[in-house]
Amino acid sequence: MMLSKNEQKIYSRHLRLNEIGAEGQEKLKQAKVLVVGAGGLGCPVLQYLTAAGVGTIGIVDGDVVDVSNLQRQILYAFEDVGKAKAKCASNRLKSLNPFVKFKVYQEFLTNENALGLFKKYDIIVDGSDNFQTRYLCNDTAVITNKPLVFGSIFKFEGQVTVFNYNNGPTYRCLYPTPPSPGAVPSCSDIGVLGVLPGIVGSYQANETLKMILGIGEVLSGKLLTFNALTMNQMSFNFNKNEAINIQVLEDNYDVFCGLPQVDEEITLEVFNGKKMAYNLLDVRDHWERAQDSIGGKHIPLNELPARYTEIEINKPVVVYCKSGIRSKRAIEFLEAAIPNTSFINLKDGIG
């Protein structure tokens, strides 16, 4: 597969590197990489893989752009708010490098689609922000025998490693069981330094390029940690647990990760059509309420144990938050505290 004259101009700085050259650049052109999540981590990964000339890039994300994403998800602009992330990302990336093919999957990764998607690609990059998707990515990568480039962020700190590289250690070797629900808050709950996912995502892109090119030392069996406040960077070794044998996917990764299960959910569209039939409870934080609200009683999740008696229960109660996760935890508590009362989760929250 020869490089065109325009491609040679674009990749000229790669071609001058003895470790890459024309042969390495052609390896990049033939490579197929699937990026799970086009958010904070996925954006820099996608930008650098596109700029480097990875031939085929798949983008899996069922989310839409929210204005709060713009602080760190650098592929998007104000005019993209409300639009599908995967599509917006591919449109932006096509203008960066017209020689890259993009496969857009406007859906979330699930048990139903994961195996089929992973089989089409050489390397998987996990840019997800929740434990159920991380375990699903890991298990699917093991079953399909694909290396998985992992990254995670928490406030000012990040982690990077590569799982299942040449049958090396996996995510479950490092984290055999998920943390208890709520033990590790999401960035929507506690915030994150905007530049951090750019740093960690760049590390993920670097690991991906090294594997494609066959150069350097891959971060397999090593967890790299980074602190943006102190600029300390450390690497920890971990071994493969031979006792872990992954042959099939879990039936339900939400259940596996201990997420509360609710009996009833309602979409915002359906709720808006019959508001008078319900009481409404907002369990978001005070600052979130000040920014945006669809009304109802406001009791932040951490205040529920002391204030749940304030809730009017003469009608079914629709409980909402930003994404539908905290509201599920609220319902789990409320169903035990106020039996014989109907609590309904607002599916996917108000965004």
Side-chain angles (χ1 to χ4, degrees), residues 269-319:
E269 182 181 6
V270 172
F271 169 77
N272 285 333
K274 44 183 179 179
K275 291 181 180 180
M276 299 306 296
Y278 305 100
N279 291 324
L280 192 59
L281 175 64
D282 178 1
V283 296
R284 297 173 303 155
D285 289 338
H286 292 287
W287 66 269
E288 293 175 285
R289 176 76 171 198
Q291 287 185 344
D292 188 24
S293 171
I294 60 171
K297 181 71 176 178
H298 178 225
I299 305 177
L301 180 61
N302 63 346
E303 297 179 19
L304 267 185
R307 298 180 55 196
Y308 71 89
T309 55
E310 300 175 24
I311 302 170
E312 294 185 12
I313 57 174
N314 58 314
K315 303 176 186 178
V317 181
V318 174
V319 185

Side-chain angles (χ1 to χ4, degrees), residues 115-266:
L115 289 169
L117 286 174
F118 280 32
K119 289 177 181 177
K120 299 175 182 178
Y121 294 87
D122 307 316
I123 297 172
I124 315 300
V125 182
D126 181 5
S128 65
D129 61 358
N130 62 80
F131 290 100
Q132 54 270 40
T133 305
R134 290 170 184 167
Y135 279 98
L136 173 58
C137 279
N138 176 80
D139 295 355
T140 309
V142 172
I143 293 170
T144 57
N145 194 28
K146 308 291 181 178
L148 176 67
V149 184
F150 170 81
S152 69
I153 53 176
F154 182 80
K155 296 174 73 174
F156 301 98
E157 299 177 347
Q159 298 180 345
V160 184
T161 189
V162 178
F163 295 120
N164 202 48
Y165 177 69
N166 290 338
N167 198 35
T170 74
Y171 185 71
R172 287 182 185 258
C173 299
L174 190 59
Y175 302 110
T177 57
S180 58
V184 182
S186 68
C187 67
S188 63
D189 294 333
I190 60 168
V192 65
L193 181 67
V195 72
L196 181 64
I199 297 169
V200 174
S202 296
Y203 277 133
Q204 288 181 274
N206 185 54
E207 291 304 306
T208 305
L209 296 178
K210 286 193 300 182
M211 284 189 286
I212 296 170
L213 294 165
I215 61 175
E217 182 180 345
V218 176
L219 270 177
S220 175
K222 294 181 180 180
L223 180 70
L224 181 77
T225 66
F226 173 80
N227 187 307
L229 293 182
T230 64
M231 296 303 289
N232 285 339
Q233 182 172 291
M234 294 181 286
S235 180
F236 302 93
N237 295 330
F238 63 98
N239 297 319
K240 182 177 178 65
N241 185 342
E242 299 292 348
I244 296 175
N245 183 20
I246 302 167
Q247 294 185 331
V248 296
L249 298 178
E250 300 282 348
D251 291 333
N252 187 319
Y253 281 86
D254 285 348
V255 172
F256 172 74
C257 291
L259 293 186
Q261 303 299 298
V262 295
D263 294 328
E264 286 190 80
E265 288 192 310
I266 189 172

Side-chain angles (χ1 to χ4, degrees), residues 8-46:
Q8 291 175 32
K9 291 178 182 178
I10 293 173
Y11 309 131
S12 63
R13 300 304 187 268
H14 272 178
L15 298 177
R16 292 174 183 173
L17 291 170
N18 292 333
E19 293 85 353
I20 300 180
E23 182 180 350
Q25 195 62 50
E26 288 172 4
K27 287 181 180 178
L28 291 171
K29 187 173 182 176
Q30 295 177 48
K32 297 179 180 180
V33 177
L34 180 67
V35 180
V36 179
L41 293 171
C43 282
V45 170
L46 288 165

